Amino acid sequence: MEQKWSNSCCQLALLSGFTLCVVLVSQTASAIEIHADPEVIVPNGTAAILRCTFTSSEVVQSTTTVTWSFQSNQPDNKFFKSPYVIFYFSNGNGFMGSEEFKDRIHYMGNINKRDASIKLDPAQFSDNGTFLCDVRNPPDVMGTAARTELRVVLKESLPPSNTAMIIGIVCAALFLLVMIAVVACVVMRVMHSRHDYEGCTSLESESSQAPKPRKKAESSLEISRPTNPSGPLQGPVIYAQLDHSGSKNSFHKMEPVVYADIRKN
């Protein structure tokens, strides 16, 4: 009897543990995640975009619903105590939940793209508070609504934007790059022109020095050629012997006499 009782207790404990695991797994798998901007700041009288997206493991169907609620942070506002539904979306249609937001809320999302964003236009000072976006996509119904704090302020009270600074930095960087490119082009042109000038001067020097060997060759040729006499030409020299004794038997003293054939130019 005791053995049967112990066996039944073990089976019941195992069944309870298995059921608990199935419940936990199913709840985890069916959880939907909703995301929204933590804070939105807009000037009074302008449009405020309240973004809301969600992720779900289930296919979006006509049963998917979107609920936007609002809770004011002003004690004298009637929405101060608890959140009030201001917009409801279901089966492709949107419904207004409060007269204060009638004709000022416009649905901008696409439920098939998991987007449930709305636009509040124009935003008023009475809209300061918390906007909650809640999405249900059965069986994904276990999720926490996303919260967005809306601050409607005067235009002069807007915090300084870094957009102008970023644009200025980008423009300055582009201008610097352009100047560097221009300087590089000018330097390259100067170097190229200087190189061409040096090439021209070297060619001129080579051309001026080239005829010198030719002159030397011509001078050697002129030396090798017979030159025409510029002065008087001397003809053949004739040698003769003269007798100064006057007798036949006397000793003859011979003196050479030169007869030159002198030609004038």
Side-chain angles (χ1 to χ4, degrees):
M1 186 70 179
E2 293 179 357
Q3 186 176 0
K4 291 182 179 181
W5 175 255
S6 61
N7 290 336
S8 60
C9 290
C10 290
Q11 291 178 359
L12 183 60
L14 290 174
L15 183 60
S16 300
F18 179 76
T19 304
L20 181 61
C21 290
V22 169
V23 171
L24 292 176
V25 171
S26 61
Q27 286 183 353
T28 304
S30 300
I32 187 172
E33 295 182 0
I34 308 170
H35 309 278
D37 296 330
E39 185 181 38
V40 175
I41 304 174
V42 295
N44 182 36
T46 61
I49 306 298
L50 304 178
R51 304 187 183 278
C52 179
T53 59
F54 64 94
T55 57
S56 175
S57 59
E58 298 294 330
V59 178
V60 176
Q61 301 177 2
S62 59
T63 56
T64 303
T65 61
V66 177
T67 304
W68 278 92
S69 304
F70 171 69
Q71 185 174 6
S72 177
N73 59 7
Q74 302 173 5
D76 56 347
N77 194 303
K78 71 175 186 177
F79 301 114
F80 176 73
K81 294 182 178 181
S82 61
Y84 286 81
V85 176
I86 59 174
F87 179 78
Y88 181 77
F89 181 88
S90 178
N91 199 17
N93 297 316
F95 305 94
M96 297 296 168
S98 176
E99 290 293 331
E100 283 77 8
F101 293 92
K102 186 178 181 180
D103 299 331
R104 293 199 300 132
I105 291 182
H106 308 277
Y107 183 70
M108 297 183 57
N110 187 342
I111 202 68
N112 294 321
K113 294 182 180 180
R114 293 170 168 77
D115 187 356
S117 303
I118 61 173
K119 179 174 69 172
L120 180 62
D121 187 18
Q124 303 173 359
F125 290 115
S126 59
D127 299 330
N128 283 289
T130 304
F131 287 80
L132 296 94
C133 177
D134 192 11
V135 182
R136 295 289 181 264
N137 185 33
D140 287 356
V141 294
M142 301 297 295
T144 303
R147 303 168 64 92
T148 298
E149 295 292 332
L150 178 62
R151 292 175 55 191
V152 183
V153 298
L154 293 172
K155 188 175 182 180
E156 294 78 9
S157 302
L158 286 175
S161 177
N162 295 329
T163 305
M165 184 181 297
I166 294 173
I167 293 175
I169 293 174
V170 172
C171 293
L174 292 177
F175 179 75
L176 182 61
L177 291 176
V178 171
M179 291 300 297
I180 292 173
V182 171
V183 172
C185 291
V186 171
V187 171
M188 290 180 65
R189 286 187 178 182
V190 170
M191 294 179 64
H192 185 68
S193 60
R194 184 177 298 176
H195 178 72
D196 292 343
Y197 178 75
E198 291 178 355
C200 292
T201 54
S202 61
L203 290 176
E204 290 178 357
S205 60
E206 289 178 1
S207 61
S208 61
Q209 294 175 1
K212 290 183 178 180
R214 189 177 298 175
K215 288 183 178 180
K216 291 182 180 179
E218 290 178 356
S219 61
S220 62
L221 289 175
E222 289 176 358
I223 293 172
S224 63
R225 293 177 184 176
T227 58
N228 294 326
S230 59
L233 298 177
Q234 182 178 359
V237 179
I238 301 173
Y239 293 91
Q241 293 180 352
L242 300 177
D243 185 3
H244 298 279
S245 63
S247 63
K248 296 180 180 179
N249 296 324
S250 62
F251 178 77
H252 298 283
K253 185 178 180 179
M254 307 295 290
E255 291 182 2
V257 178
V258 178
Y259 297 93
D261 185 9
I262 299 174
R263 296 178 182 178
K264 293 182 180 180
N265 292 337

